Structure formats: C-alpha cells, structure tokens
Amino acid sequence: MEGLNAVVLLSGGLDSATCLAIAKDRGFAVHAVSFRYGQRHNGELERAEWLAESMSAASHRVIDIDLAQLGGSALVDPNIAVPKADRVEDIGDEIPVTYVPARNTIFLSYALAVAETSNATDIFIGVNALDYSGYPDCRPEFIAAFEAMARLATKAGVGDGPELNIHTPLIDLTKGQIIAEGLRLGVDYSQTLSCYDPVAAVDSQSGVQPCGHCDACLLRAKGFAENGMSDPSIRE
C-alpha cells in the first residue's frame, strides 16, 4: 500500500486524529481536509492544523462553507443551547440538537472531490456507531450508500480506474477502544478537542478547553476512564 494517497476528514477531535494515525499506519500519504462550516468555535480547527503538521500529513486544507445559514443545529446556531449533563447515562436516546443536518454527506462530497484531484482512491472518516450521540449519518448503512453513489459519480468510477473506498476504522469500536488504538499509534490526545461548547481556558495561552458536560465530553471522558486515565486535554 506504500505510496498510495488517502483523504482524511480531520476535525481536530479525538476520532479524526485517530483516523489520521490509522491511515498513516496503513501506509497512506494523508491529505487532510477540515471545514470552517459556521460552527460555534474555531478551537477544533486550531487543533486540526496542529495535528496535520505534527502527524506529517502530506497536505492539509481548510474548506469554507456556511451551514450556519441553514440552521437547525446547536452547533451552528448560537440561539440553540448545547445539551449538558453530568453522566453518560443521562444522554438521551433521541437524535440530539447537536446533529447538523446533512453534515457528513456534505463533508464526504467535498472529500470525494479532493480525492479526485489528489489521485486518491481512499477516504477515511471517523464515524462511530457505538459510543456516539445517535447521528443518522454515522451509521454503516449511510456510509455504504454513499460509497456506492461515489463509485457512480466519479471519472474513475465510470472508467477503468480503481474503485473508491471509504474507510470507517472506528465504526464498531467503543470510545475506549478507539483511544487504546490511538495511544498505540502515538496520538497526542492532549492536543485534540471534541467539545461542542468549549470554555475559555484557565491558562489564557491555552485558548479553550472542554466544558466537560456535553455529550462529546462525557463520551470522551468515559473512553479515557476505560483506559485508566483522565482526559489529557483538560487543564486544571
């Protein structure tokens, strides 16, 4: 597999950082793609830039789109509160207001275009169907359907080129298992940010830090606890 290119969707969070490490471990030259899509904060993008550089991505681009003008999610509409809780058990079963309509469909469409222009036949995305917040675009059925569509929608797909493959190496792992794999591959989780609604850090030079109570923070804390450690991104 040495010498092949892959596009990795890199948000700057725990899952996408692990995906980048897995892609590199499999021998791919990684072209990382992040999005400034009208989200509540830029903390994840700052971490994505650091991760792409420190993990030696072949390239990293930040694509500007504006999902905030569509609304419908607490992640792009400051008037919708991000749900908070004290325990993982308090996370509800319904699709939460942090779901951004069609986000992964849009992100994968851009990744597909980057793949075509980067001579890549592989896309990595850190979706997860176990320890996640119930988003419909994180399910295996969605990924399989998008991959089938992508193979029909590209020049290589209708020609004699190799088929496009969408890799979801985290999809059937618990958050604890994801973290264990990332630690094995040397991921520095202290430099990742998964929080939906971060707060100003006590250390002003640290920018923002996790709120500790949104769904993403609670699931992340559970994963680190399963590995016998606390979240290294939280600064006391």
Side-chain angles (χ1 to χ4, degrees), residues 18 130-131 170 172-183 189 223 226-227:
T18 308
L130 292 182
D131 283 347
L170 315 182
D172 58 357
L173 302 181
T174 67
K175 195 66 73 178
Q177 290 170 329
I178 293 169
I179 292 170
E181 177 66 1
L183 292 173
Y189 286 122
E226 290 171 357
N227 283 277

Side-chain angles (χ1 to χ4, degrees), residues 82-88 90-91 195-199 209-219 221 234:
V82 172
K84 303 287 180 71
D86 293 323
R87 305 178 307 155
V88 169
D90 295 330
I91 297 176
C195 182
Y196 295 148
D197 192 26
V199 296
Q209 68 179 20
C211 71
H213 295 282
C214 68
D215 291 3
C217 282
L218 293 173
L219 290 168
I234 297 178

Side-chain angles (χ1 to χ4, degrees), residues 4-7 29 31 33 59 61 111-121:
L4 293 182
N5 295 314
V7 175
H31 298 276
V33 179
S59 70
R61 70 191 77 198
L112 180 59
V114 173
E116 285 209 89
T117 58
S118 302
N119 193 29
T121 58

Side-chain angles (χ1 to χ4, degrees), residues 127 129 132 135-148 168 171:
V127 293
Y132 77 125
Y135 298 160
D137 55 0
C138 288
R139 297 173 301 146
E141 301 95 317
F142 164 73
I143 297 297
F146 190 96
E147 182 181 66
T168 56
I171 201 159

Side-chain angles (χ1 to χ4, degrees), residues 185-219:
L185 295 173
V187 176
D188 183 356
Y189 286 122
S190 71
Q191 297 299 324
T192 63
L193 180 69
S194 306
C195 182
Y196 295 148
D197 192 26
V199 296
V202 175
D203 175 1
S204 61
Q205 294 188 4
S206 299
V208 296
Q209 68 179 20
C211 71
H213 295 282
C214 68
D215 291 3
C217 282
L218 293 173
L219 290 168

Side-chain angles (χ1 to χ4, degrees), residues 11-229:
S11 70
L14 181 154
D15 293 337
S16 67
T18 308
C19 250
L20 194 159
I22 290 172
K24 285 185 61 65
D25 187 60
R26 294 183 183 179
F28 286 100
V30 169
H31 298 276
V33 179
S34 306
F35 295 91
R36 186 178 293 105
Y37 63 92
Q39 59 265 57
R40 297 173 73 99
H41 63 88
N42 288 319
E44 275 192 331
L45 284 177
E46 294 170 0
R47 308 300 171 89
E49 292 176 2
W50 187 92
L51 288 164
E53 182 176 355
S54 65
M55 297 174 74
S56 301
S59 70
H60 179 224
R61 70 191 77 198
V62 179
I63 296 174
D64 288 292
I65 54 179
D66 188 7
L67 300 183
Q69 62 185 322
L70 304 178
S73 170
L75 297 194
V76 296
D77 186 344
N79 296 314
I80 302 176
V82 172
K84 303 287 180 71
D86 293 323
R87 305 178 307 155
V88 169
E89 293 76 15
D90 295 330
I91 297 176
D93 295 329
E94 297 181 355
I95 298 173
V97 295
T98 50
Y99 164 66
V100 181
R103 182 176 63 174
N104 280 349
T105 305
I106 294 167
F107 286 2
L108 280 170
S109 296
Y110 274 90
L112 180 59
V114 173
E116 285 209 89
T117 58
S118 302
N119 193 29
T121 58
D122 297 85
I123 296 172
F124 283 75
I125 180 171
V127 293
N128 179 262
L130 292 182
D131 283 347
Y132 77 125
S133 296
Y135 298 160
D137 55 0
C138 288
R139 297 173 301 146
E141 301 95 317
F142 164 73
I143 297 297
F146 190 96
E147 182 181 66
M149 180 278 298
R151 289 176 175 178
L152 297 172
T154 58
K155 182 178 179 180
V158 299
D160 296 326
E163 286 189 326
L164 178 95
N165 297 290
I166 299 180
H167 301 267
T168 56
L170 315 182
I171 201 159
D172 58 357
L173 302 181
T174 67
K175 195 66 73 178
Q177 290 170 329
I178 293 169
I179 292 170
E181 177 66 1
L183 292 173
R184 182 185 73 82
L185 295 173
V187 176
D188 183 356
Y189 286 122
S190 71
Q191 297 299 324
T192 63
L193 180 69
S194 306
C195 182
Y196 295 148
D197 192 26
V199 296
V202 175
D203 175 1
S204 61
Q205 294 188 4
S206 299
V208 296
Q209 68 179 20
C211 71
H213 295 282
C214 68
D215 291 3
C217 282
L218 293 173
L219 290 168
R220 181 174 166 131
K222 174 177 176 286
F224 279 110
E226 290 171 357
N227 283 277
M229 58 189 294

